[in-house]
Amino acid sequence: MREYVFGTGLIGAATSGMTLLRSLRAQEPFTWRTVLAWVSWGITVALVVGAVIDTRDAKRGRIVSGDSPVSGREQKLLKKRLRR
C-alpha cells in the first residue's frame, strides 16, 4: 500500500489539487484558464488511479491492457510479489 500512497504521481496530483483549491478561496475570478487547470487536474488524477489499478492487477497475475505503463512487466511484478 505504501508504494501507491507515496507514488510521485499521487503526490503531484494532491499538491496541484491543493493549489487549485487555494485559488478558489483567494476570490480570484473564475476564467477559462481556471477551467483548463481543473480539467488537467482531473485527467492527472484519472491517470494516476489507472496506473495504480494496473500495477495492482499486474502484481496479482492479471493481464493489463497494452497502453498501461506496466504492460509487458506482469510476470516480473508477479514474481516479485510471490517472493515476499
Side-chain angles (χ1 to χ4, degrees):
M1 187 66 158
R2 281 178 296 204
E3 64 225 23
Y4 303 134
V5 174
F6 296 118
T8 58
L10 189 60
I11 291 172
T15 56
S16 65
M18 290 186 326
T19 303
L20 287 172
L21 286 174
R22 267 192 230 128
S23 71
L24 284 178
R25 291 190 325 190
Q27 301 299 328
E28 295 291 325
F30 200 78
T31 63
W32 62 273
R33 289 183 184 101
T34 308
V35 173
L36 286 179
W38 279 103
V39 169
S40 173
W41 179 79
I43 291 170
T44 302
V45 169
L47 288 172
V48 167
V49 169
V52 166
I53 290 171
D54 283 347
T55 303
R56 184 191 57 165
D57 287 347
K59 284 184 177 182
R60 293 183 178 184
R62 299 182 186 138
I63 303 295
V64 295
S65 62
D67 63 346
S68 172
V70 295
S71 178
R73 297 187 308 158
E74 295 97 341
Q75 293 299 321
K76 179 180 175 184
L77 291 170
L78 179 61
K79 285 180 186 177
K80 185 177 178 182
R81 179 177 183 244
L82 293 176
R83 271 189 268 154
R84 291 186 205 172

